[in-house]
Amino acid sequence: VNNGKLYFTATTKTNLTKIWMTDGTIGGTRILTDIPLENGTPIITDSYDKFLIIQDENNGNIKYIYNLLENTLSELNSLVQ
């Protein structure tokens, strides 16, 4: 939960995983982005004012950072190189 909004991941019938956001209302619930995770189940492990940390549930590795201000998903490997 961050600033009154709940962030969570869900997988569709076609095995696409997405980050969702909700403020608890139907109108305030929407998909933010797809998560291109090849294997494993992504989970949001931390929520800060400006970003979410997305971790691979199977091995615990941090895979992505989602920037809430810019609405962008970045792979961790591309940020540390």
Side-chain angles (χ1 to χ4, degrees):
V1 177
N2 185 331
N3 293 324
K5 295 181 176 87
L6 173 68
Y7 297 89
F8 60 96
T9 60
T11 303
T12 65
K13 292 179 185 178
T14 57
N15 290 328
L16 295 174
T17 302
K18 302 177 181 292
I19 297 176
W20 288 75
M21 177 195 73
T22 186
D23 63 3
T25 67
I26 292 173
T29 302
R30 64 186 178 96
I31 295 171
L32 295 177
T33 190
D34 292 337
I35 302 173
L37 192 62
E38 295 174 10
N39 299 324
T41 304
I43 55 172
I44 297 172
T45 57
D46 289 302
S47 172
Y48 299 95
D49 287 338
K50 298 177 184 168
F51 58 91
L52 306 173
I53 304 296
I54 296 112
Q55 207 170 351
D56 184 334
E57 186 177 49
N58 292 332
N59 60 25
N61 293 336
I62 295 173
K63 301 293 283 184
Y64 297 97
I65 295 176
Y66 186 81
N67 185 317
L68 295 168
L69 299 177
E70 298 175 7
N71 294 319
T72 57
L73 183 70
S74 301
E75 190 169 6
L76 186 61
N77 289 341
S78 67
L79 296 174
V80 294
Q81 291 180 355

